[in-house]
mmCIF file of all heavy atoms in Angstrom:
data_model
loop_
_atom_site.group_PDB
_atom_site.id
_atom_site.type_symbol
_atom_site.label_atom_id
_atom_site.label_comp_id
_atom_site.label_asym_id
_atom_site.label_seq_id
_atom_site.Cartn_x
_atom_site.Cartn_y
_atom_site.Cartn_z
ATOM 1 N N VAL A 1 256.004 -125.789 10.867
ATOM 2 C CA VAL A 1 255.902 -126.179 9.474
ATOM 3 C C VAL A 1 255.697 -127.623 9.237
ATOM 4 O O VAL A 1 254.948 -128.135 8.427
ATOM 5 C CB VAL A 1 257.229 -125.707 8.779
ATOM 6 C CG1 VAL A 1 257.314 -126.144 7.396
ATOM 7 C CG2 VAL A 1 257.388 -124.155 8.797
ATOM 8 N N ASP A 2 256.440 -128.508 10.131
ATOM 9 C CA ASP A 2 256.264 -129.876 9.975
ATOM 10 C C ASP A 2 254.910 -130.437 10.364
ATOM 11 O O ASP A 2 254.262 -131.207 9.740
ATOM 12 C CB ASP A 2 257.374 -130.609 10.840
ATOM 13 C CG ASP A 2 258.756 -130.317 10.302
ATOM 14 O OD1 ASP A 2 258.889 -129.967 9.105
ATOM 15 O OD2 ASP A 2 259.715 -130.434 11.135
ATOM 16 N N LYS A 3 254.336 -129.893 11.476
ATOM 17 C CA LYS A 3 253.089 -130.354 11.893
ATOM 18 C C LYS A 3 251.891 -129.710 11.358
ATOM 19 O O LYS A 3 250.743 -130.073 11.560
ATOM 20 C CB LYS A 3 252.980 -130.189 13.486
ATOM 21 C CG LYS A 3 254.018 -131.030 14.242
ATOM 22 C CD LYS A 3 253.909 -130.791 15.734
ATOM 23 C CE LYS A 3 254.859 -131.612 16.546
ATOM 24 N NZ LYS A 3 254.841 -131.263 18.035
ATOM 25 N N ARG A 4 252.219 -128.584 10.519
ATOM 26 C CA ARG A 4 251.164 -127.739 9.964
ATOM 27 C C ARG A 4 250.241 -127.216 11.065
ATOM 28 O O ARG A 4 248.954 -127.213 10.891
ATOM 29 C CB ARG A 4 250.432 -128.492 8.868
ATOM 30 C CG ARG A 4 251.371 -128.905 7.661
ATOM 31 C CD ARG A 4 250.559 -129.331 6.535
ATOM 32 N NE ARG A 4 249.694 -130.489 6.863
ATOM 33 C CZ ARG A 4 248.623 -130.717 6.195
ATOM 34 N NH1 ARG A 4 248.230 -130.141 5.093
ATOM 35 N NH2 ARG A 4 247.904 -131.804 6.608
ATOM 36 N N GLN A 5 250.747 -126.840 12.200
ATOM 37 C CA GLN A 5 249.988 -126.357 13.282
ATOM 38 C C GLN A 5 250.280 -124.943 13.596
ATOM 39 O O GLN A 5 251.397 -124.445 13.460
ATOM 40 C CB GLN A 5 250.295 -127.155 14.502
ATOM 41 C CG GLN A 5 249.814 -128.577 14.513
ATOM 42 C CD GLN A 5 250.142 -129.266 15.847
ATOM 43 O OE1 GLN A 5 251.023 -128.945 16.559
ATOM 44 N NE2 GLN A 5 249.424 -130.441 16.114
ATOM 45 N N LEU A 6 249.238 -124.162 13.884
ATOM 46 C CA LEU A 6 249.409 -122.848 14.347
ATOM 47 C C LEU A 6 249.047 -122.715 15.848
ATOM 48 O O LEU A 6 247.957 -123.062 16.255
ATOM 49 C CB LEU A 6 248.538 -121.888 13.535
ATOM 50 C CG LEU A 6 248.644 -120.380 13.892
ATOM 51 C CD1 LEU A 6 249.975 -119.784 13.450
ATOM 52 C CD2 LEU A 6 247.531 -119.638 13.407
ATOM 53 N N LEU A 7 250.019 -122.183 16.615
ATOM 54 C CA LEU A 7 249.833 -121.862 18.046
ATOM 55 C C LEU A 7 249.560 -120.436 18.351
ATOM 56 O O LEU A 7 250.447 -119.603 17.987
ATOM 57 C CB LEU A 7 250.931 -122.433 18.856
ATOM 58 C CG LEU A 7 250.929 -122.074 20.413
ATOM 59 C CD1 LEU A 7 249.806 -122.747 21.128
ATOM 60 C CD2 LEU A 7 252.389 -122.525 21.021
ATOM 61 N N LEU A 8 248.367 -120.127 18.768
ATOM 62 C CA LEU A 8 248.103 -118.743 19.207
ATOM 63 C C LEU A 8 248.155 -118.837 20.778
ATOM 64 O O LEU A 8 247.338 -119.603 21.332
ATOM 65 C CB LEU A 8 246.670 -118.275 18.731
ATOM 66 C CG LEU A 8 246.566 -118.281 17.217
ATOM 67 C CD1 LEU A 8 245.118 -117.923 16.743
ATOM 68 C CD2 LEU A 8 247.527 -117.401 16.509
ATOM 69 N N ALA A 9 248.831 -117.874 21.443
ATOM 70 C CA ALA A 9 248.870 -117.946 22.866
ATOM 71 C C ALA A 9 248.930 -116.482 23.414
ATOM 72 O O ALA A 9 249.424 -115.629 22.784
ATOM 73 C CB ALA A 9 250.160 -118.611 23.336
ATOM 74 N N ARG A 10 248.396 -116.357 24.612
ATOM 75 C CA ARG A 10 248.216 -115.042 25.254
ATOM 76 C C ARG A 10 248.737 -115.276 26.714
ATOM 77 O O ARG A 10 248.581 -116.250 27.404
ATOM 78 C CB ARG A 10 246.774 -114.641 25.226
ATOM 79 C CG ARG A 10 246.548 -113.218 25.644
ATOM 80 C CD ARG A 10 245.159 -112.702 25.421
ATOM 81 N NE ARG A 10 245.024 -111.314 25.886
ATOM 82 C CZ ARG A 10 243.782 -110.821 26.266
ATOM 83 N NH1 ARG A 10 242.710 -111.623 26.282
ATOM 84 N NH2 ARG A 10 243.737 -109.598 26.757
ATOM 85 N N ASP A 11 249.382 -114.225 27.212
ATOM 86 C CA ASP A 11 250.050 -114.249 28.571
ATOM 87 C C ASP A 11 249.039 -114.411 29.729
ATOM 88 O O ASP A 11 247.858 -114.357 29.488
ATOM 89 C CB ASP A 11 250.856 -113.050 28.737
ATOM 90 C CG ASP A 11 250.018 -111.700 28.825
ATOM 91 O OD1 ASP A 11 249.294 -111.609 29.813
ATOM 92 O OD2 ASP A 11 250.201 -110.852 27.920
ATOM 93 N N ARG A 12 249.523 -114.708 30.872
ATOM 94 C CA ARG A 12 248.809 -115.115 32.063
ATOM 95 C C ARG A 12 247.651 -114.176 32.403
ATOM 96 O O ARG A 12 246.533 -114.562 32.678
ATOM 97 C CB ARG A 12 249.716 -115.343 33.225
ATOM 98 C CG ARG A 12 250.734 -116.447 33.134
ATOM 99 C CD ARG A 12 251.758 -116.401 34.208
ATOM 100 N NE ARG A 12 252.687 -117.548 34.177
ATOM 101 C CZ ARG A 12 253.733 -117.561 33.384
ATOM 102 N NH1 ARG A 12 254.027 -116.626 32.485
ATOM 103 N NH2 ARG A 12 254.477 -118.633 33.391
ATOM 104 N N PHE A 13 247.864 -112.909 32.371
ATOM 105 C CA PHE A 13 246.924 -111.838 32.828
ATOM 106 C C PHE A 13 246.232 -111.118 31.623
ATOM 107 O O PHE A 13 245.359 -110.422 31.896
ATOM 108 C CB PHE A 13 247.610 -110.826 33.696
ATOM 109 C CG PHE A 13 248.127 -111.419 34.950
ATOM 110 C CD1 PHE A 13 249.577 -111.663 35.071
ATOM 111 C CD2 PHE A 13 247.292 -111.948 35.906
ATOM 112 C CE1 PHE A 13 250.039 -112.263 36.326
ATOM 113 C CE2 PHE A 13 247.826 -112.424 37.091
ATOM 114 C CZ PHE A 13 249.251 -112.701 37.236
ATOM 115 N N GLY A 14 246.631 -111.407 30.426
ATOM 116 C CA GLY A 14 246.110 -110.750 29.282
ATOM 117 C C GLY A 14 246.578 -109.316 29.143
ATOM 118 O O GLY A 14 245.871 -108.491 28.646
ATOM 119 N N VAL A 15 247.844 -109.133 29.448
ATOM 120 C CA VAL A 15 248.480 -107.763 29.149
ATOM 121 C C VAL A 15 248.402 -107.421 27.666
ATOM 122 O O VAL A 15 248.155 -106.331 27.298
ATOM 123 C CB VAL A 15 249.880 -107.693 29.758
ATOM 124 C CG1 VAL A 15 250.477 -106.258 29.520
ATOM 125 C CG2 VAL A 15 249.920 -107.981 31.180
ATOM 126 N N LYS A 16 248.691 -108.420 26.853
ATOM 127 C CA LYS A 16 248.762 -108.243 25.401
ATOM 128 C C LYS A 16 247.532 -108.840 24.846
ATOM 129 O O LYS A 16 247.134 -109.965 25.170
ATOM 130 C CB LYS A 16 249.948 -108.809 24.811
ATOM 131 C CG LYS A 16 251.241 -108.064 25.183
ATOM 132 C CD LYS A 16 251.490 -106.657 24.706
ATOM 133 C CE LYS A 16 250.929 -105.635 25.742
ATOM 134 N NZ LYS A 16 250.831 -104.292 25.127
ATOM 135 N N PRO A 17 246.840 -108.096 23.907
ATOM 136 C CA PRO A 17 245.515 -108.565 23.376
ATOM 137 C C PRO A 17 245.705 -109.496 22.109
ATOM 138 O O PRO A 17 246.674 -109.476 21.486
ATOM 139 C CB PRO A 17 244.860 -107.342 23.059
ATOM 140 C CG PRO A 17 245.968 -106.343 22.636
ATOM 141 C CD PRO A 17 247.156 -106.770 23.486
ATOM 142 N N MET A 18 244.543 -110.253 21.834
ATOM 143 C CA MET A 18 244.449 -110.947 20.594
ATOM 144 C C MET A 18 242.995 -111.170 20.270
ATOM 145 O O MET A 18 242.246 -111.711 21.045
ATOM 146 C CB MET A 18 245.149 -112.267 20.645
ATOM 147 C CG MET A 18 245.140 -112.969 19.236
ATOM 148 S SD MET A 18 246.029 -114.558 19.222
ATOM 149 C CE MET A 18 247.725 -113.988 19.272
ATOM 150 N N PHE A 19 242.609 -110.552 19.129
ATOM 151 C CA PHE A 19 241.235 -110.733 18.561
ATOM 152 C C PHE A 19 241.359 -111.806 17.441
ATOM 153 O O PHE A 19 242.233 -111.892 16.722
ATOM 154 C CB PHE A 19 240.769 -109.390 18.036
ATOM 155 C CG PHE A 19 240.438 -108.365 19.047
ATOM 156 C CD1 PHE A 19 241.445 -107.590 19.571
ATOM 157 C CD2 PHE A 19 239.098 -108.048 19.333
ATOM 158 C CE1 PHE A 19 241.131 -106.644 20.659
ATOM 159 C CE2 PHE A 19 238.822 -107.141 20.265
ATOM 160 C CZ PHE A 19 239.752 -106.371 20.929
ATOM 161 N N LEU A 20 240.073 -112.518 17.367
ATOM 162 C CA LEU A 20 239.957 -113.673 16.433
ATOM 163 C C LEU A 20 238.731 -113.481 15.725
ATOM 164 O O LEU A 20 237.644 -113.045 16.275
ATOM 165 C CB LEU A 20 240.047 -114.900 17.201
ATOM 166 C CG LEU A 20 241.082 -115.197 18.289
ATOM 167 C CD1 LEU A 20 240.730 -116.484 19.066
ATOM 168 C CD2 LEU A 20 242.479 -115.307 17.583
ATOM 169 N N SER A 21 238.594 -113.972 14.534
ATOM 170 C CA SER A 21 237.335 -114.111 13.760
ATOM 171 C C SER A 21 237.349 -115.177 12.760
ATOM 172 O O SER A 21 238.337 -115.332 12.028
ATOM 173 C CB SER A 21 237.012 -112.767 13.123
ATOM 174 O OG SER A 21 235.727 -112.807 12.447
ATOM 175 N N LYS A 22 236.314 -116.068 12.847
ATOM 176 C CA LYS A 22 236.184 -117.146 11.823
ATOM 177 C C LYS A 22 235.535 -116.507 10.569
ATOM 178 O O LYS A 22 234.491 -115.779 10.586
ATOM 179 C CB LYS A 22 235.208 -118.239 12.385
ATOM 180 C CG LYS A 22 235.872 -118.950 13.568
ATOM 181 C CD LYS A 22 234.900 -120.035 14.204
ATOM 182 C CE LYS A 22 235.490 -120.587 15.415
ATOM 183 N NZ LYS A 22 234.454 -121.482 16.115
ATOM 184 N N LEU A 23 236.187 -116.651 9.428
ATOM 185 C CA LEU A 23 235.772 -116.055 8.194
ATOM 186 C C LEU A 23 234.743 -116.944 7.396
ATOM 187 O O LEU A 23 234.839 -118.187 7.570
ATOM 188 C CB LEU A 23 237.049 -115.700 7.348
ATOM 189 C CG LEU A 23 238.113 -114.808 8.037
ATOM 190 C CD1 LEU A 23 239.286 -114.762 7.159
ATOM 191 C CD2 LEU A 23 237.561 -113.439 8.360
ATOM 192 N N SER A 24 234.098 -116.302 6.557
ATOM 193 C CA SER A 24 233.117 -117.053 5.703
ATOM 194 C C SER A 24 233.801 -118.040 4.727
ATOM 195 O O SER A 24 233.130 -118.956 4.272
ATOM 196 C CB SER A 24 232.235 -116.090 5.016
ATOM 197 O OG SER A 24 232.966 -115.229 4.112
ATOM 198 N N ASP A 25 235.056 -117.840 4.413
ATOM 199 C CA ASP A 25 235.795 -118.691 3.544
ATOM 200 C C ASP A 25 236.489 -119.899 4.213
ATOM 201 O O ASP A 25 237.262 -120.683 3.721
ATOM 202 C CB ASP A 25 236.857 -117.905 2.723
ATOM 203 C CG ASP A 25 237.997 -117.338 3.538
ATOM 204 O OD1 ASP A 25 237.952 -117.494 4.742
ATOM 205 O OD2 ASP A 25 238.854 -116.704 2.961
ATOM 206 N N GLY A 26 236.227 -119.966 5.548
ATOM 207 C CA GLY A 26 236.743 -121.090 6.413
ATOM 208 C C GLY A 26 237.968 -120.749 7.163
ATOM 209 O O GLY A 26 238.413 -121.581 7.972
ATOM 210 N N GLY A 27 238.547 -119.554 6.889
ATOM 211 C CA GLY A 27 239.759 -119.246 7.594
ATOM 212 C C GLY A 27 239.551 -118.547 8.996
ATOM 213 O O GLY A 27 238.435 -118.298 9.355
ATOM 214 N N LEU A 28 240.615 -118.444 9.636
ATOM 215 C CA LEU A 28 240.693 -117.677 10.958
ATOM 216 C C LEU A 28 241.569 -116.485 10.798
ATOM 217 O O LEU A 28 242.724 -116.636 10.336
ATOM 218 C CB LEU A 28 241.117 -118.581 12.051
ATOM 219 C CG LEU A 28 241.206 -117.825 13.480
ATOM 220 C CD1 LEU A 28 239.671 -117.802 14.028
ATOM 221 C CD2 LEU A 28 242.127 -118.631 14.378
ATOM 222 N N ALA A 29 241.031 -115.316 11.075
ATOM 223 C CA ALA A 29 241.854 -114.139 11.073
ATOM 224 C C ALA A 29 242.114 -113.732 12.477
ATOM 225 O O ALA A 29 241.250 -113.817 13.352
ATOM 226 C CB ALA A 29 241.132 -112.977 10.306
ATOM 227 N N PHE A 30 243.236 -113.135 12.723
ATOM 228 C CA PHE A 30 243.581 -112.681 14.129
ATOM 229 C C PHE A 30 244.484 -111.365 14.065
ATOM 230 O O PHE A 30 245.106 -111.184 13.071
ATOM 231 C CB PHE A 30 244.393 -113.847 14.862
ATOM 232 C CG PHE A 30 245.651 -114.239 14.279
ATOM 233 C CD1 PHE A 30 246.862 -113.683 14.588
ATOM 234 C CD2 PHE A 30 245.641 -115.368 13.328
ATOM 235 C CE1 PHE A 30 248.079 -114.066 13.987
ATOM 236 C CE2 PHE A 30 246.836 -115.725 12.826
ATOM 237 C CZ PHE A 30 248.029 -115.122 12.915
ATOM 238 N N ALA A 31 244.370 -110.680 15.116
ATOM 239 C CA ALA A 31 245.140 -109.362 15.134
ATOM 240 C C ALA A 31 245.124 -108.855 16.499
ATOM 241 O O ALA A 31 244.376 -109.260 17.437
ATOM 242 C CB ALA A 31 244.422 -108.303 14.206
ATOM 243 N N SER A 32 246.117 -107.928 16.781
ATOM 244 C CA SER A 32 246.314 -107.341 18.078
ATOM 245 C C SER A 32 245.142 -106.391 18.491
ATOM 246 O O SER A 32 244.893 -106.334 19.742
ATOM 247 C CB SER A 32 247.575 -106.636 18.221
ATOM 248 O OG SER A 32 248.694 -107.475 18.119
ATOM 249 N N GLU A 33 244.511 -105.878 17.610
ATOM 250 C CA GLU A 33 243.389 -105.029 17.861
ATOM 251 C C GLU A 33 242.301 -105.190 16.809
ATOM 252 O O GLU A 33 242.541 -105.767 15.683
ATOM 253 C CB GLU A 33 243.891 -103.502 17.696
ATOM 254 C CG GLU A 33 244.880 -103.103 18.793
ATOM 255 C CD GLU A 33 245.253 -101.606 18.697
ATOM 256 O OE1 GLU A 33 244.370 -100.852 18.235
ATOM 257 O OE2 GLU A 33 246.381 -101.274 19.162
ATOM 258 N N LEU A 34 241.056 -104.819 17.150
ATOM 259 C CA LEU A 34 239.938 -104.942 16.349
ATOM 260 C C LEU A 34 240.179 -104.315 14.963
ATOM 261 O O LEU A 34 239.774 -104.808 13.866
ATOM 262 C CB LEU A 34 238.660 -104.488 17.027
ATOM 263 C CG LEU A 34 237.313 -104.696 16.244
ATOM 264 C CD1 LEU A 34 237.103 -106.051 15.825
ATOM 265 C CD2 LEU A 34 236.238 -104.128 17.036
ATOM 266 N N LYS A 35 240.772 -103.126 14.941
ATOM 267 C CA LYS A 35 241.028 -102.440 13.706
ATOM 268 C C LYS A 35 241.870 -103.259 12.807
ATOM 269 O O LYS A 35 241.754 -103.128 11.534
ATOM 270 C CB LYS A 35 241.586 -101.034 13.968
ATOM 271 C CG LYS A 35 242.946 -101.058 14.643
ATOM 272 C CD LYS A 35 243.516 -99.638 14.837
ATOM 273 C CE LYS A 35 242.671 -98.623 15.512
ATOM 274 N NZ LYS A 35 242.463 -98.818 16.888
ATOM 275 N N GLY A 36 242.698 -104.213 13.245
ATOM 276 C CA GLY A 36 243.484 -104.985 12.429
ATOM 277 C C GLY A 36 242.615 -105.971 11.706
ATOM 278 O O GLY A 36 242.688 -106.223 10.552
ATOM 279 N N LEU A 37 241.589 -106.534 12.417
ATOM 280 C CA LEU A 37 240.671 -107.508 11.874
ATOM 281 C C LEU A 37 239.870 -106.794 10.795
ATOM 282 O O LEU A 37 239.430 -107.284 9.697
ATOM 283 C CB LEU A 37 239.726 -108.119 12.832
ATOM 284 C CG LEU A 37 240.396 -109.236 13.772
ATOM 285 C CD1 LEU A 37 239.253 -109.829 14.694
ATOM 286 C CD2 LEU A 37 241.014 -110.409 12.991
ATOM 287 N N LEU A 38 239.423 -105.555 11.127
ATOM 288 C CA LEU A 38 238.431 -104.834 10.189
ATOM 289 C C LEU A 38 238.998 -104.476 8.947
ATOM 290 O O LEU A 38 238.371 -104.145 8.012
ATOM 291 C CB LEU A 38 237.981 -103.531 10.895
ATOM 292 C CG LEU A 38 237.066 -103.829 12.169
ATOM 293 C CD1 LEU A 38 236.690 -102.444 12.870
ATOM 294 C CD2 LEU A 38 235.758 -104.531 11.746
ATOM 295 N N ALA A 39 240.422 -104.553 8.757
ATOM 296 C CA ALA A 39 241.053 -104.469 7.451
ATOM 297 C C ALA A 39 240.861 -105.444 6.522
ATOM 298 O O ALA A 39 241.196 -105.446 5.388
ATOM 299 C CB ALA A 39 242.523 -104.159 7.691
ATOM 300 N N HIS A 40 240.350 -106.656 7.067
ATOM 301 C CA HIS A 40 239.980 -107.909 6.230
ATOM 302 C C HIS A 40 238.649 -107.670 5.699
ATOM 303 O O HIS A 40 237.636 -107.354 6.492
ATOM 304 C CB HIS A 40 240.141 -109.116 7.036
ATOM 305 C CG HIS A 40 240.163 -110.255 6.164
ATOM 306 N ND1 HIS A 40 239.052 -110.811 5.451
ATOM 307 C CD2 HIS A 40 241.060 -111.258 6.035
ATOM 308 C CE1 HIS A 40 239.428 -111.894 4.802
ATOM 309 N NE2 HIS A 40 240.601 -112.229 5.097
ATOM 310 N N PRO A 41 238.414 -107.813 4.374
ATOM 311 C CA PRO A 41 237.096 -107.549 3.766
ATOM 312 C C PRO A 41 236.012 -108.433 4.209
ATOM 313 O O PRO A 41 234.746 -108.119 3.987
ATOM 314 C CB PRO A 41 237.312 -107.655 2.323
ATOM 315 C CG PRO A 41 238.636 -108.625 2.105
ATOM 316 C CD PRO A 41 239.364 -108.267 3.388
ATOM 317 N N LEU A 42 236.290 -109.620 4.781
ATOM 318 C CA LEU A 42 235.221 -110.526 5.172
ATOM 319 C C LEU A 42 234.587 -110.387 6.583
ATOM 320 O O LEU A 42 233.712 -111.098 6.993
ATOM 321 C CB LEU A 42 235.717 -112.077 4.992
ATOM 322 C CG LEU A 42 236.035 -112.387 3.599
ATOM 323 C CD1 LEU A 42 236.461 -113.995 3.507
ATOM 324 C CD2 LEU A 42 234.855 -112.129 2.596
ATOM 325 N N ILE A 43 235.178 -109.326 7.291
ATOM 326 C CA ILE A 43 234.685 -109.138 8.617
ATOM 327 C C ILE A 43 233.383 -108.418 8.549
ATOM 328 O O ILE A 43 233.366 -107.351 7.841
ATOM 329 C CB ILE A 43 235.691 -108.386 9.460
ATOM 330 C CG1 ILE A 43 236.987 -109.092 9.568
ATOM 331 C CG2 ILE A 43 235.160 -108.094 10.807
ATOM 332 C CD1 ILE A 43 236.906 -110.438 10.370
ATOM 333 N N ARG A 44 232.308 -108.878 9.161
ATOM 334 C CA ARG A 44 231.046 -108.168 9.070
ATOM 335 C C ARG A 44 230.864 -107.334 10.303
ATOM 336 O O ARG A 44 231.347 -107.617 11.428
ATOM 337 C CB ARG A 44 229.891 -109.307 9.199
ATOM 338 C CG ARG A 44 229.904 -110.195 7.965
ATOM 339 C CD ARG A 44 228.698 -111.124 7.991
ATOM 340 N NE ARG A 44 227.446 -110.404 7.831
ATOM 341 C CZ ARG A 44 226.261 -110.906 8.104
ATOM 342 N NH1 ARG A 44 226.093 -112.274 8.327
ATOM 343 N NH2 ARG A 44 225.176 -110.301 7.947
ATOM 344 N N ARG A 45 230.260 -106.133 10.177
ATOM 345 C CA ARG A 45 230.119 -105.167 11.260
ATOM 346 C C ARG A 45 228.705 -105.178 11.718
ATOM 347 O O ARG A 45 228.018 -104.161 11.531
ATOM 348 C CB ARG A 45 230.553 -103.839 10.686
ATOM 349 C CG ARG A 45 231.941 -103.796 10.136
ATOM 350 C CD ARG A 45 232.520 -102.427 9.768
ATOM 351 N NE ARG A 45 233.695 -102.522 9.081
ATOM 352 C CZ ARG A 45 234.747 -101.541 9.156
ATOM 353 N NH1 ARG A 45 234.459 -100.517 9.915
ATOM 354 N NH2 ARG A 45 235.894 -101.745 8.544
ATOM 355 N N ARG A 46 228.341 -106.066 12.500
ATOM 356 C CA ARG A 46 227.008 -106.251 13.072
ATOM 357 C C ARG A 46 227.185 -106.444 14.644
ATOM 358 O O ARG A 46 228.039 -107.250 15.053
ATOM 359 C CB ARG A 46 226.305 -107.448 12.519
ATOM 360 C CG ARG A 46 224.982 -107.655 13.071
ATOM 361 C CD ARG A 46 224.169 -108.682 12.345
ATOM 362 N NE ARG A 46 223.848 -108.280 10.968
ATOM 363 C CZ ARG A 46 222.749 -107.613 10.593
ATOM 364 N NH1 ARG A 46 221.922 -107.208 11.543
ATOM 365 N NH2 ARG A 46 222.590 -107.320 9.459
ATOM 366 N N VAL A 47 226.407 -105.612 15.429
ATOM 367 C CA VAL A 47 226.580 -105.680 16.845
ATOM 368 C C VAL A 47 226.015 -106.866 17.399
ATOM 369 O O VAL A 47 225.056 -107.458 17.045
ATOM 370 C CB VAL A 47 225.819 -104.478 17.468
ATOM 371 C CG1 VAL A 47 225.639 -104.516 18.944
ATOM 372 C CG2 VAL A 47 226.430 -103.213 16.969
ATOM 373 N N ASN A 48 226.787 -107.446 18.485
ATOM 374 C CA ASN A 48 226.393 -108.562 19.176
ATOM 375 C C ASN A 48 225.551 -108.186 20.351
ATOM 376 O O ASN A 48 226.035 -107.434 21.224
ATOM 377 C CB ASN A 48 227.696 -109.285 19.615
ATOM 378 C CG ASN A 48 227.376 -110.549 20.512
ATOM 379 O OD1 ASN A 48 226.170 -110.815 20.934
ATOM 380 N ND2 ASN A 48 228.410 -111.314 20.675
#
């Protein structure tokens, strides 16, 4: 709260997942699974 910093961290081997997406409104969304991100209306569904 004081530093206004967000720390996202993942364990050594990646046992637990974390998905990220930069949004068109400038924000960053994150979730344990892709389906969590897809619940956000600004996530685009285009294949890489």
Side-chain angles (χ1 to χ4, degrees):
V1 175
D2 293 336
K3 296 180 180 178
R4 296 192 304 158
Q5 290 180 339
L6 180 70
L7 172 63
L8 302 176
R10 194 170 174 208
D11 65 67
R12 293 168 177 84
F13 298 105
V15 179
K16 295 292 100 188
M18 185 178 289
F19 287 77
L20 315 169
S21 183
K22 297 175 184 177
L23 304 173
S24 59
D25 66 357
L28 177 80
F30 58 89
S32 295
E33 297 181 25
L34 181 57
K35 57 175 59 72
L37 286 185
L38 292 175
H40 194 291
L42 295 183
I43 301 295
R44 298 183 65 190
R45 305 188 185 211
R46 181 173 289 275
V47 168
N48 181 347

